[in-house]
Amino acid sequence: MQFNKKDLDFINQKGLTLKKVEQQLNLFNSGLPYINLEKAATINDGILELSYNRASQLIGYYDSKKDDLKVVKFVPASGAATRMFKFLFEFLKMYNPNKGSVNAFINKNKASDLSLFFIGLEKLPMYNAVIRHLETKTDVDLKSTNDKKLYAFVKAVLETDQFDYSNFPKGLLPFHKYKNHLSSAFQEHLFEAALYVATKGKASVHFTISEKHKGKFDAEFKRIQKIVESKTNTIFDISFSYQKESTDTIAVTAKNEIVREDNGQLYFRPSGHGALIENLNALDADIIFVKNIDNVVVHKYELEVAKSKKMLAGLLIETKEQAFKYAKALDEKELSDNDIVEIAEFLISKMNVVISSEFEKYSKQYQIEYLKSKLDRPIRICGMVQNEGEPGGGPFWVKDEGANLSLQIVESAQINKKEKSQKNILKKATHFNPVDLVCSIKNYKGEVYDLQKFVDQQTAFITMKTKVGKDIKALELPGLWNGSMSNWNTIFVEVPLVTFNPVKTVNDLLKPTHQVT
């Protein structure tokens, strides 16, 4: 590929290098391998099912330890709300209020999403505000035909000179309607953090956001800070970071030709949540909870969610303490054969590490080096919910090019569904990844790992997008909880369904965990 001086200046300006851009272009040409699934992770084969007593013990253990630890909640929150309203945009584009009823439109287009939206309209958190706006700021006659009212309602929600909700950051959209106020996902994350992140009356929450929305998040925190802090008796330490431009990837056409803007400038795209591994790496914390911005609940379910989080954190602390003890011994002590066997058994039984079948044949020194390499890694405890047909990733045993087995969270886009054996394994999956992680990113000496060293670069993936109506190819970096954590030590634990409440479309706000009554 030939780049001109203007291109090279632009690449440098973004914090990228020519070599990195050429590597990205090579990946489009060579393609990326699919993940090789060995089998689905299931209860007692990769996923722990904890008894009530064991869960209670871990909750108590976390509570007894947390005040001596730095605890942070990490919330990827850069997404806009655009996709939540996709079916409403289609309605506005296709429906003519002068040429037929809304009901006829729904029946003709089999628009079940639209039907559900209108049935649940009054339960939506923004309903009262939109109706007041239509009554006072527009000439819409709400007593006229219901069809005109519904059409006007959708226009008010989406149009840029009205509420323009689709251009809100998802975290600041009204999510829940309480008796006297509306609550955003951002606000709910703070209430929730007070229950399990707070140590000594202070809770640290870090949001990754789009830089253009920083002012909006600051204003929202200023508006709600006193209320949330007085209700929770917690001081909040809120911090923000942005997805770095240096993690953007170049886009190409379907024929792998470079895409340019109308002015001739190279076209780069954000590379997905995998870019946030750098933001995660910048945190100085002993325990990091990771949870998506749209996965929140109304207050009455928060205690149950908090218990699940504490259970995972208790297991992380317990596992980490033992792992650190062994890592220190491997560095400092003269180990007996029995010590080596004990450490290997811990890795197998507690950390899901598959030890080489040749291990017993290794020299003692090499056994020690081998165990060090397996033990000296970041740790993640991942909650898994029973699969109820949601789109997205799940827990699997995966075989790499060297035939090594490991536990991974795999997205469906990474699986070759044309291959019968892989498709069958996918069908047997019993659990789903709700993005519910508790992480340790330090070694036993208290040093933060360089998390880039544990990324499997081969798990990037290519997706099809559109730009001005034309198909383009986009390169996404290995996902934050997928390939970016591929070489972490991993434990999967079954968690209750109440912990998984994503809002992918506006209709999800009608589900019980998002309704106060």
Side-chain angles (χ1 to χ4, degrees):
M1 295 287 180
Q2 291 297 309
F3 292 103
N4 58 41
K5 186 179 182 304
K6 201 174 173 184
D7 292 339
L8 297 175
D9 288 345
F10 184 58
I11 288 167
N12 289 332
Q13 186 187 319
K14 288 183 75 68
L16 280 157
T17 62
L18 177 60
K19 185 180 177 184
K20 211 164 192 177
V21 173
E22 286 175 337
Q23 284 171 345
Q24 292 170 8
L25 291 169
N26 287 338
L27 287 175
F28 285 118
N29 287 310
S30 64
L32 284 154
Y34 287 111
I35 289 283
N36 184 14
L37 303 180
E38 177 70 11
K39 56 184 173 177
T42 53
I43 296 292
N44 298 324
D45 186 12
I47 302 176
L48 286 176
E49 182 182 37
L50 301 177
S51 68
Y52 176 82
N53 287 342
R54 174 71 171 133
S56 298
Q57 178 212 343
L58 290 170
I59 290 167
Y61 196 58
Y62 173 66
D63 281 335
S64 73
K65 294 276 187 176
K66 66 175 182 172
D67 281 354
D68 296 322
L69 300 169
K70 282 186 183 176
V71 183
V72 175
K73 186 182 190 184
F74 180 86
V75 184
S78 57
T82 315
R83 280 184 290 183
M84 282 178 62
F85 299 98
K86 187 176 176 228
F87 68 90
L88 293 181
F89 277 111
E90 288 169 359
F91 169 66
L92 280 192
K93 188 178 175 184
M94 296 168 65
Y95 178 65
N96 184 336
N98 300 314
K99 289 189 177 178
S101 70
V102 168
N103 205 40
F105 176 89
I106 288 169
N107 291 334
K108 182 184 175 186
N109 294 283
K110 297 186 174 66
S112 55
D113 285 345
L114 191 65
S115 175
L116 179 60
F117 178 80
F118 287 141
I119 289 167
L121 204 62
E122 292 182 22
K123 290 184 174 181
L124 289 168
M126 66 280 289
Y127 176 77
N128 292 339
V130 174
I131 291 297
R132 272 197 308 274
H133 165 80
L134 292 174
E135 284 173 341
T136 58
K137 301 282 176 69
T138 71
D139 57 3
V140 175
D141 180 6
L142 294 179
K143 290 174 185 162
S144 67
T145 68
N146 195 45
D147 289 342
K148 285 186 178 173
K149 172 188 163 183
L150 296 177
Y151 182 67
F153 189 96
V154 175
K155 283 183 77 173
V157 165
L158 297 181
E159 288 189 342
T160 51
D161 60 346
Q162 298 192 66
F163 284 87
D164 194 25
Y165 279 140
S166 75
N167 285 318
F168 270 53
K170 197 188 267 193
L172 297 183
L173 203 68
F175 258 40
H176 300 150
K177 179 164 62 175
Y178 293 97
K179 190 176 179 183
N180 298 314
H181 74 286
L182 297 178
S183 181
S184 64
F186 174 72
Q187 185 172 334
E188 296 293 21
H189 270 285
L190 303 189
F191 275 108
E192 191 187 287
L195 296 174
Y196 61 87
V197 178
T199 60
K200 298 175 183 172
K202 185 177 177 182
S204 296
V205 190
H206 183 89
F207 296 88
T208 65
I209 61 172
S210 171
E211 192 168 0
K212 66 182 178 184
H213 292 139
K214 171 75 160 57
K216 291 178 183 172
F217 277 96
D218 283 338
E220 175 70 353
F221 183 55
K222 193 175 179 182
R223 185 182 74 80
I224 64 175
Q225 183 177 4
K226 282 183 182 173
I227 301 164
V228 178
E229 290 188 343
S230 64
K231 281 189 176 181
T232 60
N233 200 26
T234 304
I235 302 297
F236 288 92
D237 174 19
I238 304 295
S239 56
F240 300 101
S241 64
Y242 319 116
Q243 192 163 316
K244 296 175 183 175
E245 275 197 57
S246 59
T247 62
D248 288 355
T249 52
I250 198 163
V252 297
T253 66
K255 293 182 177 178
N256 293 336
E257 294 158 346
I258 289 172
V259 175
R260 292 181 181 271
E261 303 278 15
D262 290 342
N263 64 3
Q265 188 171 277
L266 296 170
Y267 178 58
F268 284 86
R269 297 186 81 263
S271 56
H273 53 69
L276 300 179
I277 197 73
E278 292 192 24
N279 305 59
L280 189 69
N281 214 160
L283 298 180
D284 178 19
D286 302 304
I287 301 282
I288 303 172
F289 292 90
V290 180
K291 193 178 182 192
N292 274 338
I293 187 67
D294 63 350
N295 186 12
V296 288
V297 290
V298 292
H299 293 339
K300 64 182 173 181
Y301 297 104
E302 280 177 349
L303 276 173
E304 199 177 341
V305 169
K307 281 182 187 175
S308 177
K309 298 287 179 290
K310 288 181 177 186
M311 172 187 76
L312 298 178
L315 182 59
L316 177 64
I317 294 168
E318 190 181 89
T319 308
K320 183 172 76 160
E321 285 175 344
Q322 190 62 59
F324 282 7
K325 181 185 149 192
Y326 286 140
K328 194 169 189 289
L330 285 164
D331 271 354
E332 297 176 359
K333 287 187 178 176
E334 188 69 41
L335 298 177
S336 67
D337 289 345
N338 285 342
D339 292 331
I340 287 170
V341 169
E342 184 183 324
I343 296 170
E345 284 178 349
F346 168 77
L347 281 163
I348 295 164
S349 63
K350 301 296 185 186
M351 304 279 259
N352 299 299
V353 174
V354 178
I355 299 286
S356 167
S357 58
E358 302 290 306
F359 181 75
E360 288 180 9
K361 298 176 187 174
Y362 299 160
S363 68
K364 189 172 181 180
Q365 189 52 44
Y366 186 57
Q367 285 181 335
I368 288 168
E369 292 304 317
Y370 179 87
L371 292 175
K372 272 187 190 179
S373 73
K374 296 292 184 184
L375 200 56
D376 190 20
R377 299 170 184 228
I379 304 170
R380 57 175 175 161
I381 312 287
C382 311
M384 292 291 158
V385 294
Q386 287 188 9
N387 196 335
E388 293 208 321
E390 293 278 353
F396 293 90
W397 288 98
V398 168
K399 190 180 278 187
D400 68 13
E401 290 174 344
N404 301 301
L405 278 183
S406 63
L407 278 180
Q408 303 292 343
I409 296 169
V410 181
E411 300 295 322
S412 57
Q414 296 176 274
I415 301 166
N416 184 1
K417 290 179 277 295
K418 290 178 182 173
E419 194 174 309
K420 195 175 177 183
S421 65
Q422 297 292 287
K423 194 176 177 183
N424 286 339
I425 293 168
L426 183 59
K427 278 184 185 173
K428 288 175 184 170
T430 57
H431 286 71
F432 176 84
N433 163 43
V435 188
D436 184 0
L437 289 81
V438 192
C439 305
S440 165
I441 63 169
K442 292 181 178 179
N443 63 19
Y444 77 89
K445 297 172 185 172
E447 301 161 335
V448 176
Y449 286 107
D450 175 1
L451 299 184
Q452 291 287 357
K453 290 181 177 174
F454 301 91
V455 176
D456 179 358
Q457 301 295 347
Q458 288 297 300
T459 57
F461 45 98
I462 294 164
T463 56
M464 295 304 297
K465 303 285 181 183
T466 57
K467 177 170 166 57
V468 200
K470 292 180 180 174
D471 287 340
I472 62 168
K473 288 184 188 176
L475 179 67
E476 296 213 0
L477 293 177
L480 180 60
W481 39 84
N482 311 111
S484 283
M485 295 183 177
S486 186
N487 294 308
W488 291 37
N489 280 327
T490 298
I491 299 171
F492 293 152
V493 182
E494 186 176 69
V495 293
L497 268 171
V498 73
T499 60
F500 181 51
N501 306 281
V503 178
K504 300 306 176 195
T505 85
V506 65
N507 285 349
D508 287 329
L509 293 174
L510 299 171
K511 291 179 178 177
T513 45
H514 295 291
Q515 292 289 315
V516 175
T517 54

